[in-house]
Amino acid sequence: MRHRCITLAAVLFALMLGACQAKNDYPGRYFDYSGKDGCSPPNIGHGLGGDLPGFARNSIEGMMAISSMQSSDCFKNWEVDLNQAVDVIVLSHDSAFGDRDLGSLSRDQLPEGISTLDEFTSALLKLDLQKPLILDIKKVSNPDLWPEMRKAARTIKERGKISVWFIIDGNDADAHAGICDFLNGEFEVMLYRKGGPLCT
């Protein structure tokens, strides 16, 4: 009887540990940009290959070009920057494009070279996905656009069969107050600079 209790306790512990790991199974290696692992660039998938010569950051063309590199240990995950226009989420590290503020432009006013999140999602799902995806929220402070962001994350996770996380700069977390309640534990939101999870 004692042996059965110990076995049952071990099984329950393993299940609980597995659940915790599944919840917090974010790619910690993403945060290591030290170069100690010999990777240069530190992550091939960062900015959809934008750290490699000849590829524009956050471009669908770059994403397509690097998809064959996913077997590399230096391809740690796909990573793309999210910003906002008036009525759509766009792939951009900065909230301005030249002298134009992206936040003041509608979908049909976007400059050439700026892709929308739905265009990215559609293109990504045509690839043989082997690595997880990190959606880096630069500035998507308009809560009316959050459903689009969640829908993309769900679609990629379910159809692409890969893990999806959000990250946000700890200095910008206040501008996105309420996002934890909105996501309601469905997706992890990690902080960089300050580190750790935003939603606890």
Side-chain angles (χ1 to χ4, degrees):
M1 180 69 170
R2 184 173 177 223
H3 177 69
R4 285 185 184 172
C5 289
I6 291 171
T7 303
L8 180 60
V11 169
L12 289 174
F13 178 75
L15 289 172
M16 288 171 51
L17 182 62
C20 290
Q21 286 176 338
K23 169 78 174 155
N24 297 311
D25 189 27
Y26 51 86
R29 291 180 63 224
Y30 171 82
F31 298 97
D32 181 11
Y33 271 56
S34 66
K36 290 179 183 176
D37 56 8
C39 292
S40 180
N43 176 20
I44 292 170
H46 181 255
L48 303 182
D51 294 340
L52 294 171
F55 297 123
R57 191 169 185 176
N58 298 309
S59 75
I60 290 175
E61 294 76 19
M63 177 183 77
M64 305 297 274
I66 66 168
S67 65
S68 62
M69 303 179 190
Q70 290 181 81
S71 60
S72 170
D73 287 341
C74 294
F75 197 127
K76 298 169 184 174
N77 45 71
W78 296 98
E79 186 269 356
V80 65
D81 300 318
L82 304 182
N83 225 300
Q84 66 184 22
V86 170
D87 54 353
V88 69
I89 296 176
V90 296
L91 274 55
S92 178
H93 181 272
D94 302 311
S95 56
F97 191 85
D99 58 354
R100 309 183 79 179
D101 179 10
L102 287 175
S104 68
L105 303 177
S106 62
R107 180 191 290 261
D108 59 355
Q109 296 173 317
L110 291 173
E112 188 176 342
I114 296 285
S115 298
T116 62
L117 180 56
D118 55 345
E119 291 169 337
F120 161 73
T121 301
S122 178
L124 183 71
L125 289 173
K126 293 176 183 174
L127 303 176
D128 174 24
L129 299 177
Q130 302 167 29
K131 298 292 173 81
L133 170 67
I134 292 179
L135 298 167
D136 187 345
I137 303 171
K138 293 301 183 186
K139 183 181 179 184
V140 187
S141 54
N142 179 358
D144 292 341
L145 295 177
W146 293 353
E148 180 187 351
M149 197 163 55
R150 182 179 60 192
K151 178 184 176 184
R154 281 177 176 169
T155 301
I156 293 165
K157 180 179 178 181
E158 291 168 9
R159 289 181 47 200
K161 303 191 184 312
I162 58 172
S163 298
V164 179
W165 296 268
F166 291 95
I167 61 171
I168 190 167
D169 188 323
N171 297 327
D172 296 329
D174 290 345
H176 299 84
I179 198 162
C180 290
D181 290 337
F182 174 76
L183 292 173
N184 195 28
E186 183 175 358
F187 294 98
E188 191 84 64
V189 184
M190 299 301 298
L191 291 168
Y192 59 93
R193 295 187 199 274
K194 295 182 180 178
L198 172 65
C199 309
T200 54

